[in-house]
């Protein structure tokens, strides 16, 4: 569709949105090289048009997420910091909470539990006040449990995870079959030497 657009501001704005949407689709379908291509082009257009808005924050957050998935932690940090900066600037609590959470995931991967705790706490503090994103808050609690597992506080991790599971069952939200949730629950049981539950 690019051939039909002129190099004008309005056309480039439409192109930026189109590239973002296609990039999101490729990301959601785990086609990361294609997703990176479209998202980087959308980011370039945002910067060219000086559109440092919510979409720009989203672009950077998804870029960070992809680099986290493929183990490029330096790149992930660069993009998540841009997303955090933009969300702060715009005072957008919804995306700010998500950016804090992504930063905590990065730090968790780097086994920097002290800084990961700081960002997951910030994420939960922001998300607890965003009513339409209760599942986001409980996702953050799952990462909080992961930090507790990392520091050997297995009973604290299990307490967090049981609270998450209670919310999920009560509200019929995202499934408890979430792999990250399951692995952290198994890790907590293993740490507590409750081997039967860990195996289950």
């Amino acid at each position: 569709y690019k051939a039909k657009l002129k190099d004008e501001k309005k056309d480039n704005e439409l192109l930026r949105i189109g590239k973002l949407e296609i990039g999101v689709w490729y990301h959601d379908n785990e086609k990361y090289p294609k997703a990176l291509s479209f998202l980087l082009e959308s980011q370039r257009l945002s910067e060219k048009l000086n559109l440092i808005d919510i979409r720009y924050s989203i672009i950077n957050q998804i870029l960070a997420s992809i680099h986290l998935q493929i183990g490029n932690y330096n790149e992930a940090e660069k993009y998540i910091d841009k997303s955090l900066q933009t969300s702060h600037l715009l005072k957008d609590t919804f995306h700010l909470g998500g950016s804090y959470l992504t930063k905590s995931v990065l730090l968790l991967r780097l086994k920097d539990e002290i800084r990961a705790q700081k960002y997951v706490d910030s994420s939960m503090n922001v998300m607890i006040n965003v009513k339409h994103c209760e599942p986001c808050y409980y996702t953050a609690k799952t990462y909080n449990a992961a930090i507790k597992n990392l520091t050997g506080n297995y009973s604290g991790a299990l307490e967090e995870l049981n609270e998450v599971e209670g919310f999920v069952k009560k509200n019929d939200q995202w499934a408890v079959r979430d792999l990250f949730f399951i692995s952290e629950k198994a890790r907590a049981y293993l740490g507590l030497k409750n081997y039967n539950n860990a195996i289950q």
Side-chain angles (χ1 to χ4, degrees), residues 88-141:
H88 268 294
L89 184 71
L90 299 170
K91 296 180 173 58
D92 183 285
T93 53
F94 180 77
H95 292 100
L96 184 59
S99 295
Y100 278 140
L101 185 57
T102 305
K103 180 84 173 193
S104 73
V105 174
L106 168 65
L107 294 167
L108 195 56
R109 295 267 179 95
L110 295 171
K111 307 238 184 294
D112 186 344
E113 64 270 12
I114 294 169
R115 288 177 65 217
Q117 187 68 65
K118 174 186 154 191
Y119 282 98
V120 85
D121 286 347
S122 296
S123 177
M124 288 192 297
N125 285 337
V126 170
M127 287 176 172
I128 199 166
N129 296 316
V130 182
K131 186 66 183 164
H132 68 278
C133 197
E134 276 187 300
C136 309
Y137 172 73
Y138 284 95
T139 298
K141 285 186 80 64

Side-chain angles (χ1 to χ4, degrees), residues 43-81:
Q43 184 197 50
R44 186 192 70 76
L45 286 166
S46 296
E47 290 172 354
K48 177 183 173 183
L49 297 164
N50 198 28
L51 290 172
I52 311 304
D53 56 5
I54 292 305
R55 283 195 178 97
Y56 183 73
S57 179
I58 293 167
I59 293 163
N60 282 291
Q61 194 173 336
I62 299 170
L63 285 167
S65 172
I66 292 170
H67 284 289
L68 265 172
Q69 291 297 324
I70 61 179
N72 286 342
Y73 298 140
N74 288 338
E75 287 295 295
E77 187 159 32
K78 178 177 82 176
Y79 291 118
I80 200 54
D81 286 347

Side-chain angles (χ1 to χ4, degrees), residues 16 19-20 38-46 59:
R16 173 184 87 124
K19 297 269 185 186
L20 170 58
F38 282 97
L39 291 165
L40 286 169
E41 182 60 15
S42 186
Q43 184 197 50
R44 186 192 70 76
L45 286 166
S46 296
I59 293 163

Side-chain angles (χ1 to χ4, degrees), residues 189-200:
Y189 278 130
L190 199 58
L192 292 167
K193 298 183 170 45
N194 188 336
Y195 300 122
N196 287 337
N197 280 336
I199 289 166
Q200 188 183 350

